[in-house]
Structures are given as C-alpha cells and as structure tokens.
C-alpha cells in the first residue's frame, strides 16, 4: 500500500489503471476510521482491482462553530486499518494541496441542500460537493463507495455526478451499527458511555416510524412525527431532537400522504447530545 500526497501523482496512477483496463474504486473519508469504513473498503476491494481511500479532513464542510480543529485524527491507526483491508493507495493531501491559497471555485446544488442537514448546517453540502468533485478529479475512480448513514450526502453526490457528467458510479453500502443499534461514526468518540447508551434511541424511533408506516399503515406523516416526538422525549429527555423527516430518497421532499406514495421512503433523524450531533436514517420500499 502506498501513501500519495500530491494530486498530480494520484492522477498519473489513476490514468495508468484506467488505460490498462483495471476497475478502480474510491472510498472517501475524513479518517479516524471505524468498522463502517472498513466494510466499505472490503466491499470495494471485493468488486474492484484497485482501491484508493482518501483521508482528508475537509475544512470547507465545517461551519464556523463546528468541530474542524477537534475532529479526531490518527493517521497511523488509519494506515494499519487500510493496510489490513487490502487497500492499494491512501490519498492523503494536505489542505494547501487541495485548495492552494486562492481557490475561487465551489460546487453547490440548489433545493436538495436546503433541507434536513443543510438547514442546520448552511454551506455544509457546498463544502462536501466541492471536495468530492476535487477528489473525483484527482482519483478518477470508476466507482465511489459511500455509506448509507449519510443519506442526504449520498443524494447530493448522486445528483451532482449526474448533473456534472462525472464518469463515476455511486455504490451505497449499509450502515454498520453497534450492538445497541447506534450507527457507527467517528463522532461517537465524543459521547460519554451514558450518552452512547441513550443514543440507541435514534435507531429505535427510526424503526418505530417504519413500523407505523408499513405495519399500522399510518398514512398521515404528522401522526407519525407526533408519536415519535413523544417517544423521543420520554426516552431521551436530555437530548434535543433536531428533525425527524419522512421523505422520498431522491429529491428528499416530504411525503404527505404515505398511503398514496409508492417508492423508496427515507426517514432521517438528527439530534444533539450536549455538543455532539448525531444523524441516522432508515430506507425502505413502499409498494
Ligand atoms: O462522509 C465524509 O466522511 C465526508 O463528508 C467526505 C465524503 C469524505 C467528504 O469530505
């Protein structure tokens, strides 16, 4: 496994593999890797010849009062995880390599980025879309592997890839969970053991919403949301529920009459446990 720091070097390597007909994949990360990332690397390795993992804590996707400087970092640990998973290249540029000192260009999408996470974290998805465009232009992968946990990020990146005619196909892999149901995330390290325990409420209310829609055939989105808010405040009164939304999984528009809707349903949730934000989702099909 090689560590590459320069964009021009990873581009030369990628060109070589593309011209020699190899199947190439990128797993983009901000490091501090956990088993969720490993599952993406293993899947990518299983389905491709060459796998690159990018490790770059992207400053432009963090808001002013967010955790950019304290975001957990441990390159040596990440290196060993990648090596064990059979990764071929780690692309690990520094901030100057990615943005230089006069970056004037950003990639932003309308409507799809105004809701859910975008409403709470203005500018976040412009940072994500910009850095992922730059990573795709550097690594030029045939396949981009993303975890289901960041459902809105996935919808944004899928749309961006279509709109900008980028020659990469997105593959979404299931969310890995702790035994309690808590979705794995690098930010879980901020949680106290008690908060971690309580945080399993997110997966519980996602499944409860799914059950109300599929088993109880509740059609009115507001009845589902009202009941979920009550469950949340009785199970985790010390957490703040930021949103619980039931939408389609492409444009992320609310589904008002669930009984009439056919297609993929996305239930997204976000909460704050003291200063830590947690997000999660479930996706299911409705006939
Ligand atoms: O999901 C993440 O870790 C980041 O948003 C990504 C896709 C690596 C872009 O910085």
């Amino acid at each position: 496994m090689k560590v590459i720091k320069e964009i021009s070097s990873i581009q030369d390597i990628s060109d070589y593999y593309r011209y020699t007909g190899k199947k190439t994949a990128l797993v983009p990360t901000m490091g501090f890797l956990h088993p969720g990332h490993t599952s993406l690397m293993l899947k990518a390795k299983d389905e491709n010849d060459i796998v690159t993992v990018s490790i770059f804590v992207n400053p432009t996707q963090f808001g002013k009062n967010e955790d950019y400087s304290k975001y957990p970092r441990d390159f040596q640990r990440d290196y060993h995880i990648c090596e064990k998973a059979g990764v071929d290249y780690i692309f690990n540029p520094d901030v100057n390599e990615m943005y230089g000192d006069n970056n004037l260009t950003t990639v932003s999408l309308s409507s799809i980025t105004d809701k859910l996470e975008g409403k709470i974290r203005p500018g976040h998805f412009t940072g994500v879309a910009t850095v992922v465009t730059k990573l795709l232009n550097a690594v030029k992968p045939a396949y981009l592997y993303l975890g289901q946990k960041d459902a809105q990020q996935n919808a944004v990146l899928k749309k961006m890839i279509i709109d900008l005619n980028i020659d990469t196909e997105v593959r979404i892999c299931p969310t890995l969970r702790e035994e309690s149901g808590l979705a794995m995330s690098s930010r879980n390290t901020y949680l106290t053991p008690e908060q971690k325990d309580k945080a399993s409420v997110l997966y519980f209310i996602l499944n409860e919403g799914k059950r109300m829609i599929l088993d109880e055939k509740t059609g009115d989105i507001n009845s589902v949301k009202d009941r979920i808010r009550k469950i949340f405040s009785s199970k985790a009164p010390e957490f703040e529920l930021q949103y619980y939304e039931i939408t389609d999984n492409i444009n992320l528009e609310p589904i008002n009459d669930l009984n009439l809707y056919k297609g993929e349903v996305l239930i997204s949730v976000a909460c704050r446990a003291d200063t830590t934000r947690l997000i999660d989702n479930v996706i299911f099909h409705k006939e």
Side-chain angles (χ1 to χ4, degrees):
M1 185 176 75
K2 288 203 173 78
V3 178
I4 309 293
K5 310 280 296 178
E6 292 86 29
I7 292 170
S8 59
S9 309
I10 196 80
Q11 282 173 329
D12 288 347
I13 292 167
S14 307
D15 285 345
Y16 170 76
Y17 288 121
R18 277 220 155 186
Y19 294 144
T20 51
K22 300 283 188 223
K23 266 177 103 177
T24 57
L26 169 65
V27 181
T29 81
M30 297 206 298
F32 214 70
L33 305 173
H34 53 68
H37 293 117
T38 309
S39 72
L40 296 178
M41 296 175 206
L42 293 174
K43 182 90 176 131
K45 193 65 204 173
D46 194 43
E47 295 176 349
N48 296 274
D49 301 308
I50 301 295
V51 174
T52 300
V53 170
S54 61
I55 298 182
F56 178 65
V57 185
N58 173 36
T60 67
Q61 70 188 74
F62 289 79
K64 262 202 216 101
N65 299 318
E66 292 183 1
D67 54 345
Y68 174 64
S69 54
K70 75 164 190 156
Y71 195 84
R73 294 160 168 90
D74 187 342
F75 186 79
Q76 277 320 309
R77 185 175 158 274
D78 290 345
Y79 181 95
H80 291 301
I81 291 173
C82 291
E83 196 174 41
K84 213 167 149 208
V87 166
D88 300 283
Y89 294 92
I90 295 179
F91 178 49
N92 177 227
D94 64 23
V95 175
N96 191 52
E97 177 71 8
M98 282 302 270
Y99 289 106
D101 56 9
N102 188 30
N103 186 82
L104 301 179
T105 307
T106 53
V107 178
S108 66
L109 290 85
S110 50
S111 69
I112 195 171
T113 56
D114 299 343
K115 43 199 103 174
L116 306 172
E117 283 302 282
K119 215 173 187 174
I120 295 178
R121 306 181 69 190
H124 169 68
F125 287 113
T126 297
V128 171
T130 303
V131 80
V132 173
T133 302
K134 289 165 85 68
L135 290 170
L136 293 174
N137 284 334
V139 181
K140 307 182 198 182
Y143 299 97
L144 177 68
Y145 285 76
L146 301 168
Q148 191 199 300
K149 187 180 151 272
D150 295 296
Q152 187 173 14
Q153 172 170 283
N154 297 342
V156 167
L157 294 177
K158 277 184 182 167
K159 186 74 179 100
M160 177 192 87
I161 283 173
I162 292 171
D163 289 354
L164 297 181
N165 310 321
I166 297 174
D167 188 14
T168 296
E169 195 180 305
V170 174
R171 298 215 159 147
I172 309 289
C173 303
T175 302
L176 244 70
R177 298 182 179 281
E178 310 272 355
E179 229 171 272
S180 67
L182 175 65
M184 290 196 184
S185 160
S186 307
R187 286 191 170 100
N188 289 353
T189 50
Y190 299 152
L191 298 171
T192 64
E194 297 75 42
Q195 287 174 328
K196 218 171 164 186
D197 215 39
K198 273 277 159 78
S200 59
V201 68
L202 291 185
Y203 194 46
F204 181 83
I205 57 172
L206 288 169
N207 281 319
E208 185 58 16
K210 177 176 168 185
R211 195 190 60 75
M212 285 178 75
I213 296 166
L214 290 182
D215 300 348
E216 287 181 12
K217 311 259 181 273
T218 310
D220 173 22
I221 194 172
N222 290 318
S223 338
V224 180
K225 285 163 76 168
D226 286 348
R227 188 139 123 213
I228 293 299
R229 272 193 217 102
K230 283 187 193 127
I231 298 175
F232 185 87
S233 54
S234 76
K235 280 190 175 284
E238 60 279 65
F239 289 3
E240 177 203 347
L241 183 61
Q242 294 190 307
Y243 61 78
Y244 183 93
E245 295 296 343
I246 303 168
T247 65
D248 71 86
N249 190 27
I250 297 174
N251 299 310
L252 314 184
E253 294 292 348
I255 304 169
N256 290 316
D257 191 337
L258 288 154
N259 283 337
L260 290 181
Y261 178 82
K262 286 189 186 357
E264 257 186 349
V265 178
L266 165 67
I267 310 185
S268 312
V269 67
C271 83
R272 263 167 74 107
D274 198 6
T275 52
T276 308
R277 289 194 70 244
L278 300 169
I279 61 168
D280 200 354
N281 67 77
V282 287
I283 298 171
F284 54 93
H285 202 79
K286 203 165 165 302
E287 295 296 317

